Each structure stands twice: as C-alpha cells, then as structure tokens.
Amino acid sequence: MLGDLGTATLAAGLLGATLAALLWLRVALLAAPARPARAATTLTVLAAAAACAVLETALLRHDFSVRFVAENGGRHVAVPDTVTSLWSALDGSLLLWSLVLCGYAALLARRRHPPRLHAYAMAVVSVVAAFFFALSALAANPFRDVHPVPLDGPGPNPLLQQHPAMAVHPPLLYAGYLGLVVPFALALAAPLAGDQGRGWLRLARPWTLAAWTALTAGIGLGAWWSYAVLGWGGYWVWDPVENASLLPWLTATAFLHTARVGATRHARWNAVLACASFVLVLLGTFLTRSGAVASVHAFTESPLGPLLLGLVLLAVLAATLLAGRRDAAPAATPAPPLLSRATAVLVNGVLLVAIAATVLVGTVAPLLTEPLTGERASVGPGYYHRTAVPFAVAVLLLAGVAPALRRAGDRTGARRLVVPAAAALVTVAAVGLSSRPGLPALTAFGAAAFTLTGLAGELVPAPRRRFRAVRLAAVLAHAGLALVAVGVAGSSAYGRATERTVRVGETLRVADVSARLVAVDRSTSGGRMTVRARLAVTGDGTPRTVTPGLWYDPARDTAVTVPRIDTGPWRDTYLTLLAVAADGSSATVRLAVNPLVGVLWCGGALMAAGGLLAFGGSVRRRRPAPPTTPATPVEVAA
C-alpha cells in the first residue's frame, strides 16, 4: 500500500516538474499568465514532500515490504536514527534532494523578479527538478516491493548512528548544494531575457549567500562528524567526496566576492562562476552516487552514473552556450587602481578558482587514468598540501589586505598594512623560536595574525564612517577563515599520536599525557555486543577515566569504533580502542593529542555566522529596480 502510494507521488512529481518547465517557458516566450506555472511548481513541491512523508511513514511503521525499509530499516533502531535513515542510503537521499530542490523552486516562483528573467530561470530550475524526479521514479525508486517480505531489516550504516551531526549534516549540505541552482538558472536566463537580464547579479546574491552559508555549516559539521566518529583522529583527508563539497564552496566564494565589484566589467566572469558552482554540484553528485570513487562518505555503486554524467555534460554545454553570450557593458568603466580593495578582491577570486582547479584535477585524475592505463592513480594529501595550500595562504593574506584598502584612490592604504605586517612578523618569530612547528605552519600562523590584525581595524570605524552589517559579516567570515587556518596548522604541526597493545596496568604516553589501561569491560544490549577499555588518563592536571569502545552490529556484520575525546581549553586527548584480547588481558589503543582543534570549530562557526548576517543584510537591502537598469559597481565589503 505505502509502496504504491510512494510510487504515485514520484510520478506526480515528475509530471508536475515537466509541466512546470513547459508552462514557465510559455510565460517567457509568449508573456502568458504565470499563475498556471506557479500552480505546477506548487504541485511539484507537494509531491516531493509527500514522497518523503510516505517513506518516513514506512520506516517508522517498519513496513519491510518496501525495498528501502527492508534494506535500511530495523526494529532495533532508535526512532531518531530511523528518521535520519531516510538520507542514509542512495534512494532515500534522492528524495530529500528533490524536496530541497523543489523547495527552492517554490521560493523562487514567489519572487517578483523581471518577468522574462524570472520565467526563464524557473524553467531551468524545473528542468533540473524533472531530471531528479525521473532518476527516482525510473532508476532509484525506493518504494519497490520486496518478496518475500523480511521480518526485520539491518538498519542504517552503523557509522551513521554514532553522532547527532548526521541529523543535520546532509540536509545542510543539500540546502547548500541546491541553493546554487538559483544563481545558475539566473545566469543562464539573463542572456535570454535581454534587457530584463541585466540586473541578475543583484538578484542572485541573496540566493548565493544562503546557499554558501548552509554549505559552510554542512562542511563544518561533516568534518566534526569525521573527527568524532571514524576514530582516526582527523577531520579532513582530501577524500574525493570531501573535495566534492569543497569545490562548489570555492567557486561560490569567488562569485560572492567578484559580484560585488565591477559588475559591468566582469559580467562574463560572474556568469561563469555562477554556472561553474552548480556544475560542480552536479559533478559531486555524480562522484557520490555513481560508485565512481571509494569513500566512507559515498554511496555504493548504482546505475545512476551515466545519467548523472549526462546531466553534467548538458549543464556544461548550456553554460558554455549561454554564459558566453553576455552583452557588452553599456559603457566602459575604468580599471580599478592596482592598490585598491577592488583589485585585492578580484585577485582573491582568481586564487579561489585556482584552488578549485587544483582540487578538481586531484579529484578526477584517478578516474581519468584508469581507463587509459588500466590502473587507478593515487592522489594523496601530499599533492594538495604542495599545490592548493600555498594558494589558500595567499587568499588568507589578501583577506587581511582588503580591509586596509578602504576605497579606490586611497593612498594611505599601504600605511595601514604596517601594523598587520608587524603582528605577522612578531608571531612568526615568537612561534618559530619557541616551538619550531615547520615552515607551512609558521606561514599559516603569520598569515592568520596578519589577517586578524587587519580585521581588528575594521571593528573601529573612523569618524563619520557608519559601521554597516555587511562589513561586520565580512569581518566575521574572514576572521573565521583565519581561525580555521590556525586550527588546521596547529593540529597538524603539534599533533602527536601513538598506537600499541598494552596489558592491564600498563601505560601509554604521548607528550605529557598518559593513559593507563585499568580494565576491559564487555556487555550485550539489544543485540549489540560492546567492549570498552577503561583508561585512567592524566595530563592537564586533572586525572579522569575515559572509556573508548568497540561495538559489533550483527545485522550488518560490522565492528564500529567508538572513540572518546577529552576536550580541553587548548587541546583534545583522543583515544580509540582498536582491538582487545579474547581474555580481556590486553587492548590495542591509539592515543593522540590534538592541539587547537577547538579553534578550528570556532572558526567554522564564525564563517557560517558571517554568511548568515550577510544574507540577512542582503535581503533587507534588496529593493525592486527597473528591469532595464544596468548593474553598477558597489562598495566592496570583503
């Protein structure tokens, strides 16, 4: 019953999205009334919501006649994990993907943008929605019947039941990914809309800010989940699926910066960035859902790969044909001075694109070399550290330079860089002499000190200069970036770890932290077999007992580590139980000391807060403008 109802909702969604695309195209070409098109868009989002509701109902009712429930549900699974299991596997995650996409379509349909620009943009979004409904209905239908009906299911992947971040991490990522469809659609619609398309940048900025903020928060939560659950003690390993989330974030960041300066001079550049951001989202979808890459973050191999790759190529073709048809600027505008904030922001945009290109090459290289050579090349963290990290340090430095260059033609800007430069030199000298962390970490610490000092000057507005919310948002986001750099550099340079087998009563030591194995405890509850190591940990002056564990999931025949993180003001003590002796006399334990990781999480939170503040300010400032008014340069607040 529920399976048939779910399949019907997918068919209704496919019909509604296809109808919406045709009706919005009719509005654009014939100036027809938009009410029928809006009704079709509403039907589409209602169908997506109904599909998700039906699958959630099947999961909560343990209806194992539905294939997705039989493969990912379980009577032993807690209710919160049952709810979040909707996006724990490929087919269910596509339903959530469609719901978020249709939600953006419904929001965009209610806007009062220039009619032709709006209609063409809605047609693009509706075509994308129809494609993903077609994927769910025809190739990845989670509502297919199962015969015979099993009595129970294995539950979701055990790794996805270990941390509350999984309740919000995928929805936030999807909100970030799919929010980028709106600037993509506006960029494609602008050349088709003629004079009505000239103001598309002003309209695209709030949507991009909302998507960027959600994507920033989603990436940060994903790193936190990896750190807290996987047991290896890190938060980023340049995994292909991690890279797939970073790539659109980089190009969207570049778009947000360059769209605020020289809007008429850089129309083509901004259109390319808007299109590239969503194309990279589609590429990441292909990598994640096709089985093309092996990753703990990726779904298993599926038949969706060729279809998703076809959508990527179609999006690239559309962007190439339409984004390249930008009208010339109505009037030539002078290039900004070399020493100006506009120049610093534009250079930063180029550097962000360079980072994205570098990461993209490292991500797809193994996929391209395997068909040619028969062997898959391995691109490890060393490649990214040598190529992408230097560009990232330059981006961080320019984030500190831009505040000093307050306006074009200001000849006192160079003098404002003296104090940040002095702070950077003092930091490098003090840290280098006291701890010798290595050149990469020293460079990151110096760049962070330079940027934070420069941003501090922004918090003290000059007389008669109003401190606007957009400036505070930029300060928060860039300060967060500097703190992220400090956290990454500190944890990489000063982190220490050891791993060995210890008997009961023996001690493991790293730096000034020691962990003595007190006992090994075993328990069984709800069909789950758990073993824990009781460790007496000393360090930071306060003895405490820490109990990392392992639990065995018989339904999926998988053992899962349960690390324990003892968080201090400046460092984390990270303990992982890897194995135990059958008689409980010994255990293999990994002890790591990770400094400044908390600074990394604070930096990520500041960046998301800055994006949220900028989004609120952008929505408040937006006012209707005549459709034929060309975009004009505005003051840069980067």
Side-chain angles (χ1 to χ4, degrees):
M1 176 65 179
L2 287 177
D4 294 337
L5 181 59
T7 300
T9 62
L10 294 180
L14 177 57
L15 176 63
T18 304
L19 187 61
L22 295 174
L23 289 174
W24 282 113
L25 193 59
R26 177 171 171 263
V27 173
L29 295 175
L30 305 176
R35 181 173 293 181
R38 287 196 179 93
T41 301
T42 301
L43 170 63
T44 306
V45 72
L46 290 177
C52 290
V54 170
L55 190 56
E56 285 286 14
T57 301
L59 286 165
L60 291 169
R61 291 177 57 182
H62 306 303
D63 185 350
F64 298 110
S65 66
V66 176
R67 182 178 61 84
F68 186 86
V69 181
E71 294 175 354
N72 300 281
R75 301 183 188 279
H76 61 285
V77 181
V79 171
D81 293 328
T82 299
V83 172
T84 60
S85 62
L86 174 72
W87 50 83
S88 68
L90 173 64
D91 300 350
S93 73
L94 278 177
L95 291 190
L96 179 63
W97 184 278
S98 297
L99 176 60
V100 176
L101 176 59
C102 293
Y104 277 113
L107 289 174
L108 182 59
R110 294 175 62 86
R111 299 301 94 189
R112 293 295 184 264
H113 297 326
R116 293 191 69 207
L117 175 69
H118 186 223
Y120 276 122
M122 282 301 307
V124 172
V125 176
S126 300
V127 167
V128 176
F131 176 86
F132 281 102
F133 266 113
L135 280 185
S136 290
L138 304 177
N141 186 347
F143 299 107
R144 291 195 180 100
D145 295 338
V146 174
H147 298 288
V149 178
L151 298 177
D152 201 354
N157 187 326
L159 288 173
L160 306 182
Q161 304 177 47
Q162 292 294 102
H163 199 276
M166 282 309 299
V168 290
H169 162 56
L172 274 176
L173 274 183
Y174 291 1
Y177 284 149
L178 293 165
L180 295 173
V181 74
V182 178
F184 169 76
L186 290 170
L188 293 186
L192 298 174
D195 288 342
Q196 291 190 13
R198 292 189 182 278
W200 76 274
L201 272 178
R202 178 179 57 84
L203 303 176
R205 183 171 174 80
W207 297 95
T208 311
L209 279 169
W212 184 91
T213 302
L215 190 54
T216 300
I219 292 173
L221 282 173
W224 184 34
W225 172 83
S226 180
Y227 181 71
V229 169
L230 296 185
W232 61 287
Y235 41 79
W236 192 270
V237 73
W238 297 104
D239 179 279
V241 179
E242 293 172 347
N243 295 349
S245 65
L246 179 63
L247 286 168
W249 184 89
L250 289 167
T251 52
T253 305
F255 173 80
L256 287 173
H257 284 75
T258 60
R260 290 196 62 83
V261 294
T264 56
R265 288 181 54 85
H266 305 285
R268 231 171 244 182
W269 170 249
N270 291 321
V272 168
L273 286 176
C275 293
S277 297
F278 189 64
V279 168
L280 289 171
V281 167
L282 296 178
L283 178 63
T285 308
F286 164 73
L287 293 174
T288 306
R289 290 171 167 80
S290 65
V293 297
S295 166
V296 69
H297 307 279
F299 297 104
T300 56
E301 187 172 351
S302 76
L304 304 184
L307 300 174
L308 289 169
L309 185 58
L311 180 61
V312 172
L313 296 177
L314 180 61
V316 170
L317 179 62
T320 302
L321 294 177
L322 294 177
R325 286 182 49 194
R326 307 304 304 170
D327 294 334
T333 54
L338 183 61
L339 194 62
S340 67
R341 180 175 288 194
T343 300
V345 170
L346 291 174
V347 172
N348 228 349
V350 173
L351 289 173
L352 287 166
V353 172
I355 298 172
T358 301
V359 175
L360 179 62
V361 169
T363 304
V364 303
L367 304 181
L368 299 178
T369 57
E370 187 174 15
L372 298 176
T373 65
E375 297 180 359
R376 176 167 293 195
S378 177
V379 179
Y383 162 79
Y384 301 100
H385 294 163
R386 290 190 300 269
T387 56
V389 170
F391 286 128
V393 172
V395 167
L396 183 58
L397 284 171
L398 282 174
V401 169
L405 309 175
R406 288 175 181 163
R407 59 183 180 275
D410 185 356
R411 299 189 178 184
T412 65
R415 278 182 258 169
R416 297 193 193 98
L417 298 176
V418 173
V419 174
L425 290 175
V426 169
T427 300
V428 168
V431 174
L433 291 174
S434 63
S435 61
R436 300 181 183 275
L439 182 59
L442 271 179
T443 305
F445 288 141
F450 179 90
T451 299
L452 289 172
T453 307
L455 293 171
E458 284 283 273
L459 296 176
V460 185
R464 298 180 182 178
R465 191 159 64 93
R466 189 161 54 96
F467 193 80
R468 297 186 303 166
V470 66
R471 287 179 53 219
L472 178 59
V475 168
L476 288 177
H478 292 150
L481 178 63
L483 292 180
V484 168
V486 170
V488 171
S491 59
S492 301
Y494 300 121
R496 299 290 182 268
T498 187
E499 174 188 320
R500 67 186 180 90
T501 301
V502 292
R503 300 186 66 81
V504 173
E506 293 183 344
T507 299
L508 200 62
R509 287 185 175 84
V510 171
D512 62 337
V513 178
S514 63
R516 179 173 58 85
L517 180 62
V518 177
V520 175
D521 303 320
R522 300 175 187 271
S523 63
T524 302
S525 176
R528 175 186 294 184
M529 293 170 281
T530 305
V531 58
R532 298 187 182 277
R534 270 188 287 145
L535 295 155
V537 178
T538 57
D540 297 326
T542 306
R544 61 268 190 202
T545 299
V546 181
T547 56
L550 281 168
W551 65 274
Y552 175 72
D553 184 358
R556 290 191 177 269
D557 191 22
T558 302
V560 181
T561 60
V562 185
R564 287 290 179 261
I565 305 170
D566 190 33
T567 301
W570 297 107
R571 67 182 184 182
D572 290 351
T573 301
Y574 194 106
L575 286 148
T576 309
L577 178 62
L578 302 176
V580 295
D583 59 359
S585 62
S586 64
T588 302
V589 179
R590 184 181 186 274
L591 169 63
V593 176
N594 300 330
L596 300 179
V597 175
V599 176
L600 170 63
W601 309 136
C602 290
L606 272 182
M607 292 176 70
L612 192 60
L613 183 60
F615 170 70
S618 179
V619 170
R620 284 194 300 272
R621 288 195 313 275
R622 190 160 60 86
R623 293 288 185 271
T628 57
T629 300
T632 55
V634 295
E635 179 188 356
V636 183

